[in-house]
């Protein structure tokens, strides 16, 4: 092998620029948008499978946003726990009544910190540890989508839900978690079938603990 620098593999200027752009987006989140709608578009932040991220389809995000707005009522507060696509849909201004509620996204992915004070860092493994002071039972509706289909994950997210919620809970998780979800949160499975932008191998369902149109 030659010791010449000519033999050292190098990347083209175009490839280096693309790689740098990817790293920048990973660190800082979505690029600044010209409109509010673009900033809060579902998918404005790319899914990261390493964090078990699978965004809802636009239709599902809309239906779930409509549900939590309806149940929160005027002046209501909504917590989106590991469910950023529903938060984004609420902020787009396309759901009737969304301007009369407030929403917060509890999320591990710090790219969503671009949403300012609406972002609260959340690690489900520390279910009652938040990046800012959060008053217990201060949300009219809590919508949660635990990142993993495991007893440990759902049990810890249930602790978070109970701490945050005044009463109404909308849980989105795999159908295989039905019995545990019922035991932990006294929820019932809905007939509504949520869908994702990417097809998941596990059947996905919604559960509520209140009379709902989704039932």
């Amino acid at each position: 092998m030659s010791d010449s620098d000519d033999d050292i593999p190098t990347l083209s200027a175009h490839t280096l620029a693309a790689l740098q752009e990817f790293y920048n987006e990973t660190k800082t989140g979505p690029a600044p948008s010209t409109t509010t709608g673009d900033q809060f578009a579902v998918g404005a932040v790319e899914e990261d499978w390493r964090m078990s991220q699978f965004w809802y389809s636009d239709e599902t995000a809309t239906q779930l946003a409509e549900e939590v707005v309806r149940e929160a009522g005027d002046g209501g507060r909504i917590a989106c726990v590991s469910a950023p696509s529903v938060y984004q849909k609420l902020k787009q201004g396309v759901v009737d009544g969304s301007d009369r509620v407030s929403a917060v996204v509890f999320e591990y992915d710090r790219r969503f910190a671009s949403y300012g004070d609406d972002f609260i860092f959340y690690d489900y493994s520390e279910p009652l540890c938040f990046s800012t002071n959060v008053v217990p039972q201060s949300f009219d509706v809590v919508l949660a989508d635990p990142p993993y289909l495991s007893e440990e994950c759902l049990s810890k997210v249930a602790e978070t839900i109970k701490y945050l919620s005044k009463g109404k809970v909308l849980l989105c998780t795999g159908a295989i978690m039905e019995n545990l979800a019922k035991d932990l949160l006294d929820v019932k499975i809905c007939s509504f079938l949520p869908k994702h932008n990417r097809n998941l191998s596990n059947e996905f369902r919604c559960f509520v603990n209140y009379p709902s149109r989704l039932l």
Side-chain angles (χ1 to χ4, degrees), residues 48-176:
D48 188 337
W49 62 268
R50 294 170 298 180
M51 289 186 275
S52 189
Q53 292 178 338
F54 304 98
W55 303 154
Y56 298 129
S57 68
D58 196 71
E59 180 182 1
T60 291
T62 298
Q63 288 183 266
L64 292 176
E66 290 172 345
E67 171 71 9
V68 293
V69 166
R70 184 166 52 243
E71 294 300 328
D74 287 358
R77 299 188 72 217
I78 300 165
C80 298
V81 180
S82 302
S85 49
V86 176
Y87 165 82
Q88 290 169 325
K89 183 57 65 175
L90 288 167
K91 303 299 287 188
Q92 286 177 23
V94 297
V95 173
D96 185 39
S98 61
D99 58 331
R100 299 191 295 274
V101 299
S102 61
V104 173
V105 58
F106 291 78
E107 176 58 48
Y108 182 80
D109 188 346
R110 293 188 185 275
R111 290 179 296 169
F112 291 99
S114 61
Y115 294 145
D117 292 340
D118 283 354
F119 168 82
I120 296 177
F121 177 76
Y122 171 69
D123 182 346
Y124 85 86
S125 65
E126 298 182 274
L128 302 181
C129 182
F130 308 112
S131 58
T132 60
N133 183 45
V134 177
V135 178
Q137 286 79 57
S138 56
F139 290 91
D140 297 279
V141 182
V142 176
L143 185 155
D145 184 344
Y148 302 104
L149 298 180
S150 70
E151 180 177 346
E152 180 253 0
C153 181
L154 180 54
S155 296
K156 290 188 173 182
V157 171
E159 288 185 53
T160 305
I161 292 170
K162 291 175 182 178
Y163 179 88
L164 297 176
S165 177
K166 291 180 180 180
K168 293 180 180 179
V169 174
L170 199 173
L171 176 70
C172 301
T173 188
I176 61 172

